[in-house]
Coordinates of all heavy atoms in Angstrom, one line a residue:
F305 N 5.9 1.1 10.2 CA 5.9 -0.3 9.7 C 6.5 -0.3 8.3 O 7.4 -1.2 8.1 CB 4.5 -0.8 9.6 CG 4.4 -2.2 9.1 CD1 4.9 -3.3 9.8 CD2 4.0 -2.4 7.8 CE1 4.9 -4.6 9.3 CE2 4.0 -3.7 7.2 CZ 4.5 -4.8 8.0
C306 N 6.2 0.6 7.4 CA 6.8 0.6 6.1 C 8.3 0.8 6.2 O 9.0 0.1 5.4 CB 6.1 1.6 5.2 SG 4.4 1.3 4.7
A307 N 8.7 1.6 7.1 CA 10.1 1.9 7.2 C 10.9 0.7 7.7 O 12.1 0.6 7.4 CB 10.4 3.1 8.2
S308 N 10.2 -0.2 8.3 CA 10.9 -1.4 8.9 C 11.1 -2.5 7.8 O 11.9 -3.5 8.0 CB 10.1 -2.1 10.0 OG 8.9 -2.7 9.5
L309 N 10.6 -2.3 6.6 CA 10.7 -3.3 5.5 C 12.1 -3.1 4.8 O 12.5 -1.9 4.6 CB 9.6 -3.3 4.5 CG 8.2 -3.6 5.1 CD1 7.1 -3.3 4.1 CD2 8.1 -5.0 5.6
R310 N 12.8 -4.2 4.5 CA 14.1 -4.1 4.0 C 14.2 -3.3 2.7 O 13.4 -3.5 1.8 CB 14.6 -5.5 3.7 CG 16.0 -5.5 3.0 CD 16.5 -6.8 2.6 NE 16.8 -7.6 3.8 CZ 17.4 -8.8 3.8 NH1 17.6 -9.4 2.6 NH2 17.6 -9.4 4.9
A311 N 15.1 -2.3 2.7 CA 15.4 -1.5 1.5 C 14.2 -0.6 1.1 O 14.2 -0.1 0.0 CB 15.8 -2.4 0.3
A312 N 13.3 -0.4 2.0 CA 12.2 0.5 1.7 C 12.7 2.0 1.8 O 13.5 2.3 2.6 CB 11.0 0.3 2.7
T313 N 12.2 2.8 0.8 CA 12.6 4.2 0.8 C 11.3 5.0 0.9 O 10.2 4.6 0.5 CB 13.4 4.5 -0.4 OG1 12.6 4.2 -1.6 CG2 14.7 3.8 -0.5
H314 N 11.5 6.2 1.4 CA 10.4 7.1 1.6 C 10.6 8.4 0.9 O 11.7 9.0 0.9 CB 10.2 7.4 3.1 CG 9.2 8.4 3.5 ND1 9.6 9.7 3.8 CD2 7.9 8.3 3.5 CE1 8.5 10.4 4.1 NE2 7.4 9.6 3.9
V315 N 9.5 8.9 0.2 CA 9.5 10.3 -0.4 C 8.1 10.9 -0.1 O 7.2 10.1 0.1 CB 9.8 10.3 -1.9 CG1 11.2 9.8 -2.2 CG2 8.8 9.5 -2.6
V316 N 8.1 12.2 -0.1 CA 6.8 12.9 0.1 C 6.5 13.4 -1.3 O 7.2 14.1 -1.9 CB 6.9 14.0 1.1 CG1 5.6 14.8 1.2 CG2 7.2 13.5 2.5
Q317 N 5.3 13.0 -1.8 CA 4.9 13.3 -3.2 C 3.4 13.6 -3.2 O 2.7 13.3 -2.2 CB 5.1 12.2 -4.1 CG 6.6 11.9 -4.5 CD 6.7 10.7 -5.4 OE1 7.4 9.8 -5.1 NE2 6.0 10.7 -6.5
W318 N 2.9 14.1 -4.3 CA 1.5 14.2 -4.5 C 0.7 14.9 -3.4 O -0.2 14.3 -2.8 CB 0.9 12.8 -4.8 CG 1.6 12.1 -5.9 CD1 1.9 12.6 -7.2 CD2 2.0 10.7 -5.9 NE1 2.5 11.6 -7.9 CE2 2.6 10.5 -7.2 CE3 1.9 9.7 -5.0 CZ2 3.1 9.3 -7.5 CZ3 2.5 8.5 -5.4 CH2 3.1 8.3 -6.6
G319 N 1.1 16.1 -3.1 CA 0.4 16.9 -2.2 C 0.6 16.5 -0.7 O -0.3 16.6 0.1
G320 N 1.7 15.9 -0.4 CA 2.0 15.6 1.0 C 1.8 14.2 1.4 O 1.9 13.8 2.6
A321 N 1.6 13.3 0.4 CA 1.5 11.9 0.7 C 2.9 11.3 1.0 O 3.9 11.6 0.4 CB 0.8 11.1 -0.4
D322 N 2.9 10.3 2.0 CA 4.1 9.5 2.3 C 4.1 8.4 1.3 O 3.2 7.5 1.3 CB 4.0 9.0 3.7 CG 4.1 10.1 4.7 OD1 5.2 10.9 4.7 OD2 3.2 10.3 5.5
V323 N 5.0 8.3 0.4 CA 5.1 7.3 -0.6 C 6.3 6.4 -0.3 O 7.4 6.8 -0.2 CB 5.3 7.9 -2.0 CG1 5.4 6.9 -3.1 CG2 4.1 8.9 -2.3
W324 N 5.9 5.1 -0.2 CA 6.9 4.1 0.1 C 7.3 3.2 -1.1 O 6.4 2.8 -1.8 CB 6.4 3.2 1.3 CG 6.3 4.0 2.5 CD1 5.3 4.7 3.0 CD2 7.4 4.2 3.4 NE1 5.7 5.3 4.2 CE2 7.0 5.1 4.5 CE3 8.8 3.8 3.4 CZ2 7.8 5.5 5.5 CZ3 9.6 4.2 4.5 CH2 9.1 5.1 5.5
K325 N 8.6 3.1 -1.3 CA 9.0 2.4 -2.5 C 10.1 1.3 -2.1 O 10.8 1.5 -1.1 CB 9.7 3.4 -3.5 CG 8.8 4.5 -4.0 CD 9.5 5.4 -4.9 CE 8.5 6.6 -5.3 NZ 9.1 7.4 -6.4
V326 N 10.2 0.4 -3.0 CA 11.3 -0.6 -2.9 C 11.9 -0.7 -4.4 O 11.1 -0.8 -5.3 CB 10.9 -2.0 -2.4 CG1 9.9 -2.7 -3.2 CG2 12.2 -2.9 -2.2
G327 N 13.2 -0.5 -4.5 CA 13.8 -0.5 -5.8 C 13.2 0.6 -6.8 O 13.2 0.4 -8.0
G328 N 12.7 1.7 -6.2 CA 12.2 2.8 -7.0 C 10.7 2.6 -7.4 O 10.2 3.4 -8.1
K329 N 10.1 1.5 -7.0 CA 8.7 1.2 -7.3 C 7.8 1.3 -6.1 O 8.2 0.8 -5.0 CB 8.6 -0.2 -7.9 CG 9.5 -0.5 -9.1 CD 9.0 0.4 -10.3 CE 9.8 0.1 -11.5 NZ 9.4 0.9 -12.7
V330 N 6.7 1.9 -6.2 CA 5.8 2.2 -5.1 C 5.1 0.9 -4.6 O 4.7 0.1 -5.4 CB 4.6 3.2 -5.5 CG1 3.6 3.3 -4.4 CG2 5.2 4.5 -6.0
F331 N 5.1 0.7 -3.3 CA 4.3 -0.4 -2.7 C 3.3 0.1 -1.7 O 2.3 -0.7 -1.4 CB 5.3 -1.4 -2.0 CG 5.9 -1.0 -0.8 CD1 5.3 -1.2 0.5 CD2 7.2 -0.5 -0.8 CE1 6.0 -0.8 1.6 CE2 7.9 -0.1 0.3 CZ 7.3 -0.2 1.6
A332 N 3.3 1.3 -1.2 CA 2.3 1.9 -0.3 C 2.3 3.4 -0.4 O 3.4 4.0 -0.6 CB 2.5 1.4 1.1
I333 N 1.1 3.9 -0.2 CA 1.0 5.4 -0.2 C 0.1 5.7 1.0 O -1.0 5.2 1.2 CB 0.3 5.9 -1.5 CG1 1.1 5.5 -2.7 CG2 0.2 7.5 -1.4 CD1 0.3 5.8 -4.0
V334 N 0.6 6.6 1.9 CA -0.1 6.9 3.1 C -0.4 8.4 3.1 O 0.4 9.2 2.8 CB 0.8 6.6 4.4 CG1 0.0 6.9 5.6 CG2 1.3 5.2 4.3
G335 N -1.7 8.7 3.3 CA -2.1 10.1 3.4 C -2.4 10.7 2.1 O -2.5 12.0 2.0
W336 N -2.6 10.0 1.0 CA -2.9 10.5 -0.3 C -4.3 11.1 -0.2 O -4.5 12.2 -0.8 CB -2.8 9.4 -1.3 CG -2.9 9.9 -2.8 CD1 -3.0 11.1 -3.3 CD2 -2.9 9.0 -3.9 NE1 -3.0 11.1 -4.6 CE2 -2.9 9.8 -5.0 CE3 -2.8 7.6 -4.1 CZ2 -2.9 9.3 -6.3 CZ3 -2.8 7.1 -5.3 CH2 -2.8 7.9 -6.4
D337 N -5.2 10.5 0.4 CA -6.5 10.9 0.6 C -6.8 10.8 2.1 O -7.1 9.8 2.6 CB -7.5 10.1 -0.2 CG -8.9 10.5 -0.1 OD1 -9.2 11.6 0.4 OD2 -9.8 9.7 -0.5
S338 N -6.6 11.9 2.9 CA -6.7 11.9 4.3 C -5.7 11.0 4.9 O -4.5 11.0 4.5 CB -8.1 11.7 4.8 OG -8.5 10.3 4.6
D339 N -6.1 10.2 5.9 CA -5.1 9.2 6.5 C -5.2 7.8 5.9 O -4.9 6.9 6.6 CB -5.3 9.2 8.0 CG -4.6 10.4 8.7 OD1 -3.7 11.0 8.1 OD2 -5.0 10.8 9.8
A340 N -5.8 7.7 4.8 CA -5.9 6.4 4.1 C -4.6 5.9 3.7 O -3.6 6.6 3.6 CB -6.8 6.6 2.9

Side-chain angles (χ1 to χ4, degrees):
F305 177 75
C306 290
S308 74
L309 298 172
R310 176 185 289 188
T313 59
H314 172 258
V315 295
V316 176
Q317 290 180 232
W318 305 314
D322 293 299
V323 180
W324 290 94
K325 300 180 182 186
V326 61
K329 303 292 183 182
V330 176
F331 70 88
I333 304 168
V334 185
W336 190 2
D337 181 12
S338 69
D339 280 337

